[in-house]
């Protein structure tokens, strides 16, 4: 992936640049490259955002990788980030494409629960 090569050669990056590259991988249906970019966020000691996860889940959804999308959703929770409608919607869509209706319905149900506003 060109995005992966460019990011790997750039010495100083911010999370916005990485998120843009992840999104680009998703549009090109290169879910594995998107995952590598997200892994690189941690190696570069950058702080991933909900957008980082959302773009990666979307890439997995487009690549019909529903299991990976669900794992990323769990990672997002472990990172103490609050999922938004975009990342939940992408995970639901990934489950639907994988014909995992029970997982999709669970995500819809969980996402409709009231959120703690702090």
């Amino acid at each position: 992936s060109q995005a992966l090569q460019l990011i790997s050669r750039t010495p100083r990056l911010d999370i916005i640049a990485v998120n843009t590259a992840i999104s680009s991988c998703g549009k090109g249906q290169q879910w594995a490259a998107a995952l590598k970019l997200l892994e690189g966020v941690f190696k570069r000691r950058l702080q991933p955002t909900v957008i980082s996860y959302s773009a990666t889940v979307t890439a997995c959804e487009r690549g019909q990788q529903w299991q990976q999308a669900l794992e990323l959703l769990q990672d997002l929770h472990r990172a103490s980030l609050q999922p938004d409608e975009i990342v939940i919607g992408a995970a639901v869509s990934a489950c639907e494409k994988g014909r995992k209706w029970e997982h999709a319905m669970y995500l819809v149900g969980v996402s409709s629960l009231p959120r703690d506003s702090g």
Side-chain angles (χ1 to χ4, degrees), residues 88-109:
I88 295 289
V92 167
S93 181
C95 290
E96 289 172 346
K97 287 180 178 178
R99 298 186 183 270
K100 299 299 175 186
W101 311 114
E102 65 281 358
H103 295 303
M105 293 306 294
Y106 174 77
L107 290 173
V108 169

Side-chain angles (χ1 to χ4, degrees), residues 5-6 10 17 20 22 29-32 37 44 46 49 54 69 71-72 77 80 86 92 95-96 115-116:
Q5 290 173 2
L6 180 63
T10 306
T20 301
I22 292 171
Q29 297 187 2
Q30 296 178 350
W31 62 272
L37 286 168
R44 290 177 177 264
L46 295 172
T49 64
S54 180
E71 286 180 34
L72 288 165
H77 283 287
S80 299
I86 296 169
V92 167
C95 290
E96 289 172 346
R115 298 214 169 126
D116 180 18

Side-chain angles (χ1 to χ4, degrees), residues 16-64:
I16 295 169
V18 176
N19 290 348
T20 301
I22 292 171
S23 181
S24 175
C25 289
K27 289 175 184 166
Q29 297 187 2
Q30 296 178 350
W31 62 272
L35 286 173
K36 285 187 186 286
L37 286 168
L38 184 62
E39 289 170 10
V41 166
F42 299 102
K43 291 177 183 172
R44 290 177 177 264
R45 293 190 168 92
L46 295 172
Q47 199 63 26
T49 64
V50 173
I51 294 170
S52 309
Y53 285 98
S54 180
T56 311
V57 169
T58 298
C60 289
E61 177 261 332
R62 290 180 177 156
Q64 298 186 13

